[in-house]
Amino acid sequence: MRIALISATTAAIEPAVSALAEEFPEADPWNILDDKLLPDAEKSGGVTPSLEARMRRLISYAADNADAVLLTCSMYGFVAAAEFPVAVLAPDAAAFEEALAYQRILVVASLESALRDTMARLDHPDAVGVVTVPARIREACLPYVSSVDAVLLAQYSLTPCAPALDVPVISGPRSAAAKLRSVVTA
């Protein structure tokens, strides 16, 4: 099963490919990188109609040549809701579904903008957030572990730094890979 991964940064590729290898080993990942999607959005003050159209073209191209598509950039995740001939997953939709099963969530990000974006889209009444550098994720989580039911990593790039904690740690790539497996092999 060919799974197209559309990425806006190289930092998201390895976590997505590794998660597919673990959760969906029969997947054949195909990486499509447009490393100007984020800088162009930043320069334009957000995702413009032309950037949205560019992402739709990337998804259409991928959908014509793959069994499913996974977007690895949350900024463009909303485009996955459009109609395509194959399953198209937003990067964190499956992780959000998983997180909503828990009452209290700690959201961890390495950028304030990523934390704000995730908190707004997660829309979880009992979520708290923390920003830290990837190398210090475990230390940042420890003060919260006794008062939360799970930790949600806000960025694909944080997955390789996922700490071992006494609560579940939810990562977008792993949740998406498991969801893709269930969708594509159903």
Side-chain angles (χ1 to χ4, degrees):
M1 306 246 129
R2 179 171 286 176
I3 306 299
L5 306 171
I6 300 178
S7 300
T9 176
T10 57
I13 294 172
E14 188 278 326
V17 170
S18 292
L20 282 172
E22 290 176 26
E23 300 290 334
F24 189 7
E26 56 273 34
D28 176 22
W30 170 34
N31 290 296
I32 300 171
L33 172 66
D34 182 340
D35 62 358
K36 295 300 180 192
L37 285 168
L38 290 176
D40 289 353
E42 187 176 297
K43 190 179 352 175
S44 301
V47 177
T48 63
S50 66
L51 286 170
E52 180 181 347
R54 186 160 108 201
M55 178 56 82
R56 285 179 190 273
R57 286 190 301 276
L58 286 168
I59 294 171
S60 292
Y61 171 69
D64 286 345
N65 298 284
D67 297 296
V69 177
L70 172 62
L71 306 183
T72 68
C73 178
S74 60
M75 182 180 289
Y76 289 88
F78 71 95
V79 183
E83 288 292 320
F84 294 100
V86 299
V88 178
L89 268 64
D92 43 22
F96 285 4
E97 286 176 22
E98 193 175 334
L100 291 173
Y102 296 96
Q103 184 165 351
R104 297 164 309 193
I105 300 290
L106 174 64
V107 178
V108 180
S110 65
L111 302 167
E112 187 66 41
S113 59
L115 179 64
R116 277 193 314 271
D117 175 65
T118 299
M119 295 291 281
R121 289 180 304 102
L122 177 61
D123 192 30
H124 191 293
D126 292 315
V128 294
V130 64
V131 176
T132 186
V133 294
R136 302 207 36 104
I137 289 177
R138 180 171 171 70
E139 292 85 354
C141 292
L142 288 176
Y144 298 92
V145 170
S146 64
S147 62
V148 299
D149 302 312
V151 172
L152 173 65
L153 302 178
Q155 298 152 257
Y156 270 44
S157 58
L158 295 179
T159 300
C161 307
L165 299 168
D166 292 334
V167 297
V169 177
I170 303 165
S171 76
R174 286 207 175 122
S175 298
K179 179 79 170 192
L180 278 168
R181 184 178 195 177
S182 70
V183 168
V184 174
T185 61

